Structures are given as structure tokens and as C-alpha cells.
Amino acid sequence: MDAASLPAPVDPASAPAATAPDGSAVRVLARVPEVSTAQFILAADAVTIAHRHRTVSEVWFVQAGSGRLWRSIDGQSDVVALVPGVSVAIPVGTAFQFASDGDGLVILGATAPAWPGDDEAVRVAGPWEPTLG
């Protein structure tokens, strides 16, 4: 049986367990074949690499900090303010990029099906110049 825990309180400056393909820090949490969970940490004033996923969808819940998320699919795009308590969906095939503001950003994410590996992420053009990667 899989189990994991996070530090409390949530701290954007705490050390990550790995680096996600978009350049954000990631702590891999519990998973089953149908769903995986992780915590994504973005340092203050950082911008990820824009990308899309080949086979998985994600749902995010912002735990701490602030920032913004750009999403684009089928010719429609939006920018969502990321603040504590906001939850967003990123359907499979959606291009996306996120950026943090002065305090950094901490997001709890679920991926369905479970994250298959780094080949899942495909780089795309995004609206902001990445500072990571």
C-alpha cells in the first residue's frame, strides 16, 4: 500500500524530491494505477516551461502562494489566477504554463491515469519566457 506525507505548514522554500519536466520542483505522493498525486513547488518569480500532456489529465488545488496558469486547447485559452483555495482542471492535450509571484507557489495535483514518466510532457510555445529548465 502506498502512503506519503507533506511538511506542515506548506513552505515554498522547502527542498523538493525531484524536478518535473516543466522545471518545477515536485514531491511524488501516493499513487494507484488510475491516479497519482504530487505536490508542485515553484520558487518566487519563477516561470515553468510550457507543455502539454500526451495521455493524462490533471486537477490542481493551490495550497499556498500566488501566481497564474495559462491554458490553451482547441483554439481557446485563458489565464487563471492561482491563489490558495483555487482548483483548476487541465484536460489531456491542454497546453499550459504556470508562473509564481513574489511568495512562490505550492500546488497539490492529481493526475489520471497515474503519471507514466517524463516522456509524457511535450514542450509547446507559451505566453511567457520560462525561467526554469
Side-chain angles (χ1 to χ4, degrees):
M1 300 288 228
D2 200 6
S5 62
L6 295 172
V10 177
D11 180 7
S14 61
T19 301
D22 63 13
S24 64
V26 63
R27 282 191 184 86
V28 176
L29 301 172
R31 65 182 287 142
V32 293
E34 299 82 13
V35 179
S36 59
T37 57
Q39 184 184 58
F40 306 104
I41 303 104
L42 200 55
D45 301 314
V47 180
T48 62
I49 298 164
H51 64 289
R52 66 174 176 78
H53 294 157
R54 296 177 196 270
T55 64
V56 302
S57 295
E58 288 189 341
V59 175
W60 289 1
F61 178 79
V62 179
Q63 295 181 286
S66 63
R68 57 206 174 281
L69 167 68
W70 166 78
R71 300 178 292 182
S72 181
I73 191 166
D74 297 332
Q76 295 196 357
S77 64
D78 66 2
V79 175
V80 178
L82 298 176
V83 296
V86 167
S87 182
V88 294
I90 304 171
V92 65
T94 301
F96 68 101
Q97 182 178 32
F98 64 111
S100 66
D101 295 330
D103 292 334
L105 191 56
V106 180
I107 298 167
L108 180 63
T111 302
W115 184 255
D118 289 347
D119 291 348
E120 175 66 20
V122 178
R123 288 185 182 211
V124 299
W128 309 308
E129 185 66 32
T131 61
L132 304 173

